[in-house]
Amino acid sequence: MPDIPFGFSLPGGQPPDPNDPQQLQQFMAQLQQMLAAPGSGPVNWDLARQVAAGQLAAAGDPAVTPYERNAVEEALRLADLWLEPASALPSGIQTSVAWNRNEWIYKTLDVWKKLCDPVAGRMVGAMSDLVPPEARAQLGPMQSMVAALGGALFGGQLGQALGSLAGEVLSAGEIGLPLGPPGTAALIPANIAAYGQGLELPEDEVRLYVALREAAHQRLFQHVPWLRGHMLSAVEMYAAGITVNREAIEEAMSRVDPMNPESMQAIALEGIFTPEDTPAQKASLARLETALALVEGWVCHVVDSAAGDRLPNVAKLGEAFRRRRAAGGPAEQTFAALVGLELRPRRLREAAALWSALSEHRGVAGRDALWGHPDLLPSEDDFADPAAFARAQLDFDLGDIDFGDGSATPEKPTDPSA
């Protein structure tokens, strides 16, 4: 983690120098302001945004050029055309945009709040519990300062994690969750350029492959009405079972000396959150991993089908993205350590093979009809034998099912073998 105490920093993202009276005074004024206005939730999101912005300013966040904006719009337009025969779901793109890294944070922050606030709330509660019961009555209004300190501590380090993520993500939907505004397909040109250099592949080819993935995500989340809530609730259910290691909090807080900013630089929250080893939590984890794998597996299969012989390096790009999603980048791993959430589709390859088998046996329309209701989707057990699951679907006439959630009834398969 970068050395930013509490997530507090001076302009440019640097921690204050304890030997510089002016910098120290500025830092203490910042601390006083934070304690005076703790915010309305368990995370100080204003501080998180400030820290992320400072980190990006120090690392560099180039503005999107008109050329890049046009290139992104054209790539997403072409990607949608290529996806037409590969997907029964229509285009989900209402707006095509190119973001810089700061814009990615700003546009996705509302969803991060939903994902992180429950976990942060338990940490702040655990910090308050460190105060002996007999001392709480004497603290009175000071109790709110404890909550503010916890919110700032978590907000600062969450800002660092989001700032690091912003330097890696290639699009709005890359991690498999609907983070951006509905109907908005967004690419981050600066990150795509850096990623393409690492792969030693032409930037325009990498951009188009990323656009295909983003456009495929948009088709799913725009035209499967229940999917957004299903994915976010899977994350929330798993987060609800994450416990707080109070010994780790107590040990971290014992190193804090408010008069010595350097003492705060040593604080790190990794390891404070751990999943409960209970059947309910294991079931929540399996549900989350299966949901992520099904979404990402569908995207990988559909994109590779659409790209076909059109992209010279489609095989290399597909394999690189599968590895990237299955392993997670350094920033994603940091985020997982911080909040206890691993947003990785562990069974991505099995899920992609399952969607491929469904395409073979039921055709494109029959495959995508399974998104008509969550009960129709494959379970984790079905990953073991994709062909058997695909053949079993031939016994059902999905067009006769009454979808009572307001979603449209899928078209019946047109494949003669169905």
Side-chain angles (χ1 to χ4, degrees), residues 159-185:
Q160 293 174 17
L162 289 177
S164 297
L165 264 178
E168 292 181 5
V169 293
L170 306 178
S171 67
E174 186 187 355
I175 67 171
L177 294 176
L179 295 177
T184 299

Side-chain angles (χ1 to χ4, degrees), residues 382-409:
D382 295 321
F383 288 178
D385 193 344
F389 177 81
R391 286 193 300 269
Q393 298 311 299
L394 297 177
D395 297 333
F396 297 94
D397 188 348
L398 297 176
D400 290 338
I401 295 177
D402 179 18
F403 296 91
D405 61 348
S407 63
T409 302

Side-chain angles (χ1 to χ4, degrees), residues 243-264:
T243 57
V244 177
N245 185 337
R246 298 191 180 186
E247 291 182 359
I249 290 182
E250 190 169 14
E251 194 276 332
M253 296 307 297
S254 69
R255 298 197 300 268
V256 175
D257 177 2
M259 298 305 297
N260 179 14
E262 286 187 332
S263 72
M264 302 178 192

Side-chain angles (χ1 to χ4, degrees), residues 64 97-101 103-104 107-108 172 180-181 184 186-190:
V64 177
V97 294
W99 289 342
N100 65 7
R101 293 158 182 162
E103 285 177 301
W104 177 83
K107 299 292 187 180
T108 64
T184 299
L187 306 187
I188 296 89

